Amino acid sequence: MAFFSPVDERTNDYQGDAGMCLLQAVSEPPQSFSRTLLSDSPHSRPPDNCTESASEHNMPDLTFIHCDPDDPRAQALLSQLGETLARITGSSGTASFDNADVRVPRARFVVAVDRESCPVGCGALRPLSEDVAEVKRMFAVPGSAAGVGAALLAHLEAEAREIGYRAIWLETRAINSRAVGFYLRNGYARIENYGKYAGRPEAVCFGKSIQPPASTAGSE
């Protein structure tokens, strides 16, 4: 499962992470999507206990619905996320998410429903710059089918690519080995800590290029 909670860039309230995966927002939008990859980082290899990735063949049968965070399905999932975060971190993280963040151009809020139309997860994209999007507030319901988190992440990546972003950035806590493993297994690489996370040893930042393959037009 994947749990994400952003930081309120207006209050600089750093909530940290919980569960498998957590993302935070940044206070200053990046100017470029290029970041130095830290391949020698202790967080550059996925732990053995994290196996969920978008390359698995048994991906769950999901439908992704684009909606507002005030949608009842979204609210139910965000409430579950808050309860989960409160149990793990002592804070629900509700004060650190502003629905307005995903009501701007080039942003998305997505609810995943299973074949019985039951909501099983949610996630969001928000712009950091012209080239870079950040994933926020992603949650897979505990006990849902395996692969929901990876499927959600893959869908958000596809949405970001279609919108025109070239990369996705995110942040999680170094202590959260399951989050670190999840992202590494899904093609993310450690990058220099950006924005408000610079100089914070408890924070681990990741990035992934989502540029489409080079055009083969005119080739045989």
Side-chain angles (χ1 to χ4, degrees), residues 175-204:
I175 198 172
N176 193 342
S177 62
R178 294 195 64 182
V180 170
F182 174 82
Y183 290 119
L184 290 171
R185 290 180 185 276
N186 281 281
Y188 287 76
R190 178 78 167 85
I191 62 174
E192 295 177 31
N193 283 13
Y194 57 85
K196 69 194 305 176
Y197 305 113
R200 285 187 167 181
E202 74 275 20
V204 182

Side-chain angles (χ1 to χ4, degrees), residues 38-47 180 184 188-190 204 206:
L38 306 180
S39 59
D40 58 347
S41 165
H43 308 295
S44 63
R45 298 182 304 277
V180 170
L184 290 171
Y188 287 76
R190 178 78 167 85
V204 182
F206 291 93

Side-chain angles (χ1 to χ4, degrees), residues 4-5 15 78-79 81-87 89-96 137:
F4 303 78
S5 178
Q15 297 293 337
L78 292 173
S79 177
L81 170 59
E83 293 171 2
T84 301
L85 291 174
R87 288 196 301 270
T89 70
S91 171
S92 69
T94 55
S96 65
R137 210 60 175 171

Side-chain angles (χ1 to χ4, degrees), residues 3-43:
F3 310 99
F4 303 78
S5 178
V7 160
D8 189 338
E9 59 188 315
R10 289 158 297 281
T11 63
N12 289 335
D13 181 17
Y14 184 65
Q15 297 293 337
D17 66 357
M20 180 175 179
C21 310
L22 270 162
L23 305 183
Q24 265 71 27
V26 297
S27 56
E28 295 296 332
Q31 299 302 311
S32 169
F33 75 95
S34 299
R35 303 294 291 186
T36 303
L37 299 183
L38 306 180
S39 59
D40 58 347
S41 165
H43 308 295

Side-chain angles (χ1 to χ4, degrees), residues 101-216:
D101 288 344
V102 292
R103 290 173 177 156
V104 298
R106 308 178 81 226
R108 296 284 188 274
F109 192 92
V110 178
V111 167
V113 298
D114 63 18
R115 63 180 63 189
E116 283 78 37
S117 298
C118 295
V120 294
C122 63
L125 286 172
R126 78 159 196 150
L128 294 183
S129 73
E130 185 70 19
D131 291 332
V132 182
E134 184 174 42
V135 174
K136 296 176 64 175
R137 210 60 175 171
M138 193 171 110
F139 175 64
V141 174
S144 56
V148 169
L152 266 169
L153 186 59
H155 178 79
L156 290 171
E157 290 171 358
E159 285 292 313
R161 188 179 301 110
E162 183 175 344
I163 292 169
Y165 293 113
R166 300 175 65 193
I168 289 178
W169 289 2
L170 58 90
E171 184 274 342
T172 190
R173 282 195 177 181
I175 198 172
N176 193 342
S177 62
R178 294 195 64 182
V180 170
F182 174 82
Y183 290 119
L184 290 171
R185 290 180 185 276
N186 281 281
Y188 287 76
R190 178 78 167 85
I191 62 174
E192 295 177 31
N193 283 13
Y194 57 85
K196 69 194 305 176
Y197 305 113
R200 285 187 167 181
E202 74 275 20
V204 182
C205 295
F206 291 93
K208 181 177 181 178
S209 172
I210 57 170
Q211 296 181 80
S215 174
T216 57

